[in-house]
PDB file of all heavy atoms in Angstrom:
ATOM      1  N   ASN A 230      -2.360  -9.774   0.515  1.00 94.00           N
ATOM      2  CA  ASN A 230      -2.374  -8.567  -0.312  1.00 94.00           C
ATOM      3  C   ASN A 230      -3.778  -8.262  -0.806  1.00 94.00           C
ATOM      4  O   ASN A 230      -4.234  -7.106  -0.759  1.00 94.00           O
ATOM      5  CB  ASN A 230      -1.431  -8.719  -1.507  1.00 94.00           C
ATOM      6  CG  ASN A 230      -1.423  -7.485  -2.388  1.00 94.00           C
ATOM      7  OD1 ASN A 230      -1.100  -6.398  -1.953  1.00 94.00           O
ATOM      8  ND2 ASN A 230      -1.799  -7.668  -3.646  1.00 94.00           N
ATOM      9  N   ALA A 231      -4.493  -9.279  -1.280  1.00 94.00           N
ATOM     10  CA  ALA A 231      -5.848  -9.057  -1.791  1.00 94.00           C
ATOM     11  C   ALA A 231      -6.766  -8.518  -0.703  1.00 94.00           C
ATOM     12  O   ALA A 231      -7.525  -7.568  -0.925  1.00 94.00           O
ATOM     13  CB  ALA A 231      -6.410 -10.356  -2.365  1.00 94.00           C
ATOM     14  N   GLU A 232      -6.695  -9.114   0.499  1.00 97.00           N
ATOM     15  CA  GLU A 232      -7.588  -8.639   1.548  1.00 97.00           C
ATOM     16  C   GLU A 232      -7.173  -7.266   2.065  1.00 97.00           C
ATOM     17  O   GLU A 232      -8.034  -6.441   2.390  1.00 97.00           O
ATOM     18  CB  GLU A 232      -7.655  -9.637   2.705  1.00 97.00           C
ATOM     19  CG  GLU A 232      -8.755  -9.248   3.693  1.00 97.00           C
ATOM     20  CD  GLU A 232      -8.975 -10.277   4.769  1.00 97.00           C
ATOM     21  OE1 GLU A 232      -7.976 -10.732   5.369  1.00 97.00           O
ATOM     22  OE2 GLU A 232     -10.145 -10.631   5.024  1.00 97.00           O
ATOM     23  N   ALA A 233      -5.877  -6.994   2.130  1.00 97.00           N
ATOM     24  CA  ALA A 233      -5.435  -5.668   2.548  1.00 97.00           C
ATOM     25  C   ALA A 233      -5.969  -4.598   1.598  1.00 97.00           C
ATOM     26  O   ALA A 233      -6.442  -3.542   2.032  1.00 97.00           O
ATOM     27  CB  ALA A 233      -3.913  -5.610   2.615  1.00 97.00           C
ATOM     28  N   LYS A 234      -5.918  -4.882   0.293  1.00 97.00           N
ATOM     29  CA  LYS A 234      -6.447  -3.909  -0.669  1.00 97.00           C
ATOM     30  C   LYS A 234      -7.960  -3.784  -0.517  1.00 97.00           C
ATOM     31  O   LYS A 234      -8.507  -2.678  -0.621  1.00 97.00           O
ATOM     32  CB  LYS A 234      -6.098  -4.341  -2.096  1.00 97.00           C
ATOM     33  CG  LYS A 234      -4.607  -4.310  -2.413  1.00 97.00           C
ATOM     34  CD  LYS A 234      -4.003  -2.942  -2.195  1.00 97.00           C
ATOM     35  CE  LYS A 234      -2.565  -2.853  -2.744  1.00 97.00           C
ATOM     36  NZ  LYS A 234      -1.610  -3.709  -1.998  1.00 97.00           N
ATOM     37  N   LEU A 235      -8.647  -4.887  -0.265  1.00 97.00           N
ATOM     38  CA  LEU A 235     -10.091  -4.817  -0.028  1.00 97.00           C
ATOM     39  C   LEU A 235     -10.397  -3.908   1.156  1.00 97.00           C
ATOM     40  O   LEU A 235     -11.277  -3.049   1.084  1.00 97.00           O
ATOM     41  CB  LEU A 235     -10.640  -6.224   0.220  1.00 97.00           C
ATOM     42  CG  LEU A 235     -12.105  -6.327   0.648  1.00 97.00           C
ATOM     43  CD1 LEU A 235     -13.039  -5.762  -0.416  1.00 97.00           C
ATOM     44  CD2 LEU A 235     -12.461  -7.788   0.959  1.00 97.00           C
ATOM     45  N   LEU A 236      -9.672  -4.068   2.242  1.00 98.00           N
ATOM     46  CA  LEU A 236      -9.903  -3.263   3.437  1.00 98.00           C
ATOM     47  C   LEU A 236      -9.603  -1.786   3.179  1.00 98.00           C
ATOM     48  O   LEU A 236     -10.371  -0.893   3.575  1.00 98.00           O
ATOM     49  CB  LEU A 236      -9.042  -3.776   4.591  1.00 98.00           C
ATOM     50  CG  LEU A 236      -9.339  -5.194   5.092  1.00 98.00           C
ATOM     51  CD1 LEU A 236      -8.269  -5.635   6.074  1.00 98.00           C
ATOM     52  CD2 LEU A 236     -10.721  -5.266   5.729  1.00 98.00           C
ATOM     53  N   LEU A 237      -8.474  -1.512   2.521  1.00 98.00           N
ATOM     54  CA  LEU A 237      -8.077  -0.134   2.264  1.00 98.00           C
ATOM     55  C   LEU A 237      -9.017   0.552   1.283  1.00 98.00           C
ATOM     56  O   LEU A 237      -9.443   1.692   1.496  1.00 98.00           O
ATOM     57  CB  LEU A 237      -6.640  -0.107   1.734  1.00 98.00           C
ATOM     58  CG  LEU A 237      -5.549  -0.480   2.733  1.00 98.00           C
ATOM     59  CD1 LEU A 237      -4.245  -0.813   1.998  1.00 98.00           C
ATOM     60  CD2 LEU A 237      -5.321   0.639   3.735  1.00 98.00           C
ATOM     61  N   PHE A 238      -9.336  -0.143   0.196  1.00 98.00           N
ATOM     62  CA  PHE A 238     -10.245   0.440  -0.796  1.00 98.00           C
ATOM     63  C   PHE A 238     -11.629   0.667  -0.182  1.00 98.00           C
ATOM     64  O   PHE A 238     -12.245   1.712  -0.394  1.00 98.00           O
ATOM     65  CB  PHE A 238     -10.380  -0.490  -2.008  1.00 98.00           C
ATOM     66  CG  PHE A 238      -9.151  -0.639  -2.865  1.00 98.00           C
ATOM     67  CD1 PHE A 238      -9.153  -1.519  -3.937  1.00 98.00           C
ATOM     68  CD2 PHE A 238      -7.991   0.067  -2.604  1.00 98.00           C
ATOM     69  CE1 PHE A 238      -8.040  -1.678  -4.742  1.00 98.00           C
ATOM     70  CE2 PHE A 238      -6.862  -0.076  -3.405  1.00 98.00           C
ATOM     71  CZ  PHE A 238      -6.891  -0.962  -4.472  1.00 98.00           C
ATOM     72  N   ARG A 239     -12.132  -0.317   0.545  1.00 98.00           N
ATOM     73  CA  ARG A 239     -13.474  -0.203   1.118  1.00 98.00           C
ATOM     74  C   ARG A 239     -13.571   0.989   2.065  1.00 98.00           C
ATOM     75  O   ARG A 239     -14.543   1.747   2.021  1.00 98.00           O
ATOM     76  CB  ARG A 239     -13.847  -1.495   1.844  1.00 98.00           C
ATOM     77  CG  ARG A 239     -15.291  -1.517   2.353  1.00 98.00           C
ATOM     78  CD  ARG A 239     -15.665  -2.911   2.835  1.00 98.00           C
ATOM     79  NE  ARG A 239     -14.864  -3.316   3.978  1.00 98.00           N
ATOM     80  CZ  ARG A 239     -14.755  -4.582   4.405  1.00 98.00           C
ATOM     81  NH1 ARG A 239     -15.372  -5.559   3.760  1.00 98.00           N
ATOM     82  NH2 ARG A 239     -14.030  -4.866   5.455  1.00 98.00           N
ATOM     83  N   HIS A 240     -12.565   1.163   2.906  1.00 98.00           N
ATOM     84  CA  HIS A 240     -12.604   2.311   3.826  1.00 98.00           C
ATOM     85  C   HIS A 240     -12.545   3.624   3.050  1.00 98.00           C
ATOM     86  O   HIS A 240     -13.273   4.569   3.362  1.00 98.00           O
ATOM     87  CB  HIS A 240     -11.440   2.235   4.815  1.00 98.00           C
ATOM     88  CG  HIS A 240     -11.500   3.291   5.867  1.00 98.00           C
ATOM     89  ND1 HIS A 240     -12.341   3.211   6.960  1.00 98.00           N
ATOM     90  CD2 HIS A 240     -10.848   4.482   5.983  1.00 98.00           C
ATOM     91  CE1 HIS A 240     -12.187   4.294   7.703  1.00 98.00           C
ATOM     92  NE2 HIS A 240     -11.292   5.074   7.132  1.00 98.00           N
ATOM     93  N   ALA A 241     -11.698   3.675   2.032  1.00 97.00           N
ATOM     94  CA  ALA A 241     -11.563   4.908   1.256  1.00 97.00           C
ATOM     95  C   ALA A 241     -12.858   5.271   0.530  1.00 97.00           C
ATOM     96  O   ALA A 241     -13.310   6.414   0.567  1.00 97.00           O
ATOM     97  CB  ALA A 241     -10.414   4.785   0.260  1.00 97.00           C
ATOM     98  N   PHE A 242     -13.467   4.284  -0.119  1.00 98.00           N
ATOM     99  CA  PHE A 242     -14.677   4.568  -0.896  1.00 98.00           C
ATOM    100  C   PHE A 242     -15.918   4.700  -0.018  1.00 98.00           C
ATOM    101  O   PHE A 242     -16.752   5.586  -0.255  1.00 98.00           O
ATOM    102  CB  PHE A 242     -14.907   3.472  -1.940  1.00 98.00           C
ATOM    103  CG  PHE A 242     -13.989   3.552  -3.124  1.00 98.00           C
ATOM    104  CD1 PHE A 242     -13.052   2.550  -3.365  1.00 98.00           C
ATOM    105  CD2 PHE A 242     -14.045   4.620  -3.996  1.00 98.00           C
ATOM    106  CE1 PHE A 242     -12.207   2.616  -4.449  1.00 98.00           C
ATOM    107  CE2 PHE A 242     -13.185   4.707  -5.093  1.00 98.00           C
ATOM    108  CZ  PHE A 242     -12.259   3.699  -5.310  1.00 98.00           C
ATOM    109  N   GLU A 243     -16.049   3.857   0.995  1.00 97.00           N
ATOM    110  CA  GLU A 243     -17.317   3.785   1.730  1.00 97.00           C
ATOM    111  C   GLU A 243     -17.337   4.623   3.007  1.00 97.00           C
ATOM    112  O   GLU A 243     -18.426   4.986   3.478  1.00 97.00           O
ATOM    113  CB  GLU A 243     -17.641   2.322   2.039  1.00 97.00           C
ATOM    114  CG  GLU A 243     -17.819   1.501   0.768  1.00 97.00           C
ATOM    115  CD  GLU A 243     -18.130   0.036   1.011  1.00 97.00           C
ATOM    116  OE1 GLU A 243     -18.466  -0.315   2.173  1.00 97.00           O
ATOM    117  OE2 GLU A 243     -18.028  -0.757   0.053  1.00 97.00           O
ATOM    118  N   GLU A 244     -16.179   4.942   3.557  1.00 96.00           N
ATOM    119  CA  GLU A 244     -16.134   5.795   4.745  1.00 96.00           C
ATOM    120  C   GLU A 244     -15.708   7.212   4.395  1.00 96.00           C
ATOM    121  O   GLU A 244     -16.345   8.180   4.814  1.00 96.00           O
ATOM    122  CB  GLU A 244     -15.182   5.197   5.795  1.00 96.00           C
ATOM    123  CG  GLU A 244     -15.611   3.819   6.284  1.00 96.00           C
ATOM    124  CD  GLU A 244     -16.977   3.814   6.939  1.00 96.00           C
ATOM    125  OE1 GLU A 244     -17.333   4.821   7.606  1.00 96.00           O
ATOM    126  OE2 GLU A 244     -17.718   2.816   6.775  1.00 96.00           O
ATOM    127  N   TRP A 245     -14.655   7.350   3.629  1.00 96.00           N
ATOM    128  CA  TRP A 245     -14.211   8.684   3.231  1.00 96.00           C
ATOM    129  C   TRP A 245     -14.963   9.214   2.018  1.00 96.00           C
ATOM    130  O   TRP A 245     -14.993  10.424   1.791  1.00 96.00           O
ATOM    131  CB  TRP A 245     -12.717   8.674   2.927  1.00 96.00           C
ATOM    132  CG  TRP A 245     -11.853   8.581   4.154  1.00 96.00           C
ATOM    133  CD1 TRP A 245     -12.178   8.982   5.413  1.00 96.00           C
ATOM    134  CD2 TRP A 245     -10.527   8.048   4.230  1.00 96.00           C
ATOM    135  NE1 TRP A 245     -11.140   8.746   6.268  1.00 96.00           N
ATOM    136  CE2 TRP A 245     -10.107   8.173   5.576  1.00 96.00           C
ATOM    137  CE3 TRP A 245      -9.648   7.502   3.299  1.00 96.00           C
ATOM    138  CZ2 TRP A 245      -8.847   7.757   6.009  1.00 96.00           C
ATOM    139  CZ3 TRP A 245      -8.404   7.087   3.723  1.00 96.00           C
ATOM    140  CH2 TRP A 245      -8.001   7.214   5.065  1.00 96.00           C
ATOM    141  N   GLY A 246     -15.550   8.337   1.227  1.00 96.00           N
ATOM    142  CA  GLY A 246     -16.303   8.772   0.061  1.00 96.00           C
ATOM    143  C   GLY A 246     -15.452   9.310  -1.074  1.00 96.00           C
ATOM    144  O   GLY A 246     -15.867  10.225  -1.793  1.00 96.00           O
ATOM    145  N   VAL A 247     -14.264   8.727  -1.272  1.00 97.00           N
ATOM    146  CA  VAL A 247     -13.388   9.223  -2.328  1.00 97.00           C
ATOM    147  C   VAL A 247     -13.950   8.883  -3.703  1.00 97.00           C
ATOM    148  O   VAL A 247     -14.758   7.963  -3.857  1.00 97.00           O
ATOM    149  CB  VAL A 247     -11.957   8.653  -2.200  1.00 97.00           C
ATOM    150  CG1 VAL A 247     -11.350   9.029  -0.852  1.00 97.00           C
ATOM    151  CG2 VAL A 247     -11.921   7.153  -2.419  1.00 97.00           C
ATOM    152  N   SER A 248     -13.501   9.620  -4.687  1.00 97.00           N
ATOM    153  CA  SER A 248     -13.858   9.348  -6.076  1.00 97.00           C
ATOM    154  C   SER A 248     -12.826   8.479  -6.773  1.00 97.00           C
ATOM    155  O   SER A 248     -13.102   7.928  -7.843  1.00 97.00           O
ATOM    156  CB  SER A 248     -14.007  10.664  -6.853  1.00 97.00           C
ATOM    157  OG  SER A 248     -15.094  11.413  -6.352  1.00 97.00           O
ATOM    158  N   ARG A 249     -11.638   8.347  -6.148  1.00 97.00           N
ATOM    159  CA  ARG A 249     -10.551   7.644  -6.819  1.00 97.00           C
ATOM    160  C   ARG A 249      -9.529   7.169  -5.782  1.00 97.00           C
ATOM    161  O   ARG A 249      -9.207   7.887  -4.835  1.00 97.00           O
ATOM    162  CB  ARG A 249      -9.881   8.604  -7.802  1.00 97.00           C
ATOM    163  CG  ARG A 249      -8.555   8.147  -8.384  1.00 97.00           C
ATOM    164  CD  ARG A 249      -7.899   9.293  -9.166  1.00 97.00           C
ATOM    165  NE  ARG A 249      -6.550   8.922  -9.604  1.00 97.00           N
ATOM    166  CZ  ARG A 249      -6.266   8.413 -10.795  1.00 97.00           C
ATOM    167  NH1 ARG A 249      -7.226   8.224 -11.673  1.00 97.00           N
ATOM    168  NH2 ARG A 249      -5.022   8.104 -11.118  1.00 97.00           N
ATOM    169  N   VAL A 250      -9.047   5.947  -5.987  1.00 98.00           N
ATOM    170  CA  VAL A 250      -7.869   5.438  -5.283  1.00 98.00           C
ATOM    171  C   VAL A 250      -6.837   5.104  -6.346  1.00 98.00           C
ATOM    172  O   VAL A 250      -7.162   4.451  -7.348  1.00 98.00           O
ATOM    173  CB  VAL A 250      -8.186   4.183  -4.456  1.00 98.00           C
ATOM    174  CG1 VAL A 250      -6.901   3.568  -3.897  1.00 98.00           C
ATOM    175  CG2 VAL A 250      -9.145   4.507  -3.322  1.00 98.00           C
ATOM    176  N   ASP A 251      -5.620   5.573  -6.165  1.00 96.00           N
ATOM    177  CA  ASP A 251      -4.606   5.224  -7.155  1.00 96.00           C
ATOM    178  C   ASP A 251      -3.408   4.532  -6.527  1.00 96.00           C
ATOM    179  O   ASP A 251      -3.181   4.593  -5.318  1.00 96.00           O
ATOM    180  CB  ASP A 251      -4.175   6.427  -8.001  1.00 96.00           C
ATOM    181  CG  ASP A 251      -3.929   7.685  -7.204  1.00 96.00           C
ATOM    182  OD1 ASP A 251      -3.094   7.663  -6.275  1.00 96.00           O
ATOM    183  OD2 ASP A 251      -4.574   8.690  -7.504  1.00 96.00           O
ATOM    184  N   LEU A 252      -2.670   3.832  -7.392  1.00 95.00           N
ATOM    185  CA  LEU A 252      -1.485   3.074  -7.007  1.00 95.00           C
ATOM    186  C   LEU A 252      -0.445   3.274  -8.092  1.00 95.00           C
ATOM    187  O   LEU A 252      -0.800   3.448  -9.268  1.00 95.00           O
ATOM    188  CB  LEU A 252      -1.791   1.575  -6.868  1.00 95.00           C
ATOM    189  CG  LEU A 252      -2.987   1.178  -5.990  1.00 95.00           C
ATOM    190  CD1 LEU A 252      -4.248   1.034  -6.849  1.00 95.00           C
ATOM    191  CD2 LEU A 252      -2.708  -0.139  -5.261  1.00 95.00           C
ATOM    192  N   LYS A 253       0.823   3.259  -7.715  1.00 93.00           N
ATOM    193  CA  LYS A 253       1.867   3.376  -8.733  1.00 93.00           C
ATOM    194  C   LYS A 253       3.052   2.504  -8.352  1.00 93.00           C
ATOM    195  O   LYS A 253       3.239   2.142  -7.190  1.00 93.00           O
ATOM    196  CB  LYS A 253       2.308   4.833  -8.910  1.00 93.00           C
ATOM    197  CG  LYS A 253       3.000   5.490  -7.735  1.00 93.00           C
ATOM    198  CD  LYS A 253       3.442   6.899  -8.112  1.00 93.00           C
ATOM    199  CE  LYS A 253       4.208   7.592  -6.977  1.00 93.00           C
ATOM    200  NZ  LYS A 253       3.309   8.014  -5.890  1.00 93.00           N
TER     201      LYS A 253
END
Side-chain angles (χ1 to χ4, degrees):
N230 180 60
E232 189 173 48
K234 294 303 190 293
L235 173 61
L236 296 171
L237 291 163
F238 292 176
R239 186 170 64 196
H240 186 78
F242 285 114
E243 298 179 13
E244 299 300 326
W245 286 334
V247 301
S248 295
R249 168 189 173 95
V250 172
D251 45 57
L252 309 93
K253 66 177 183 286

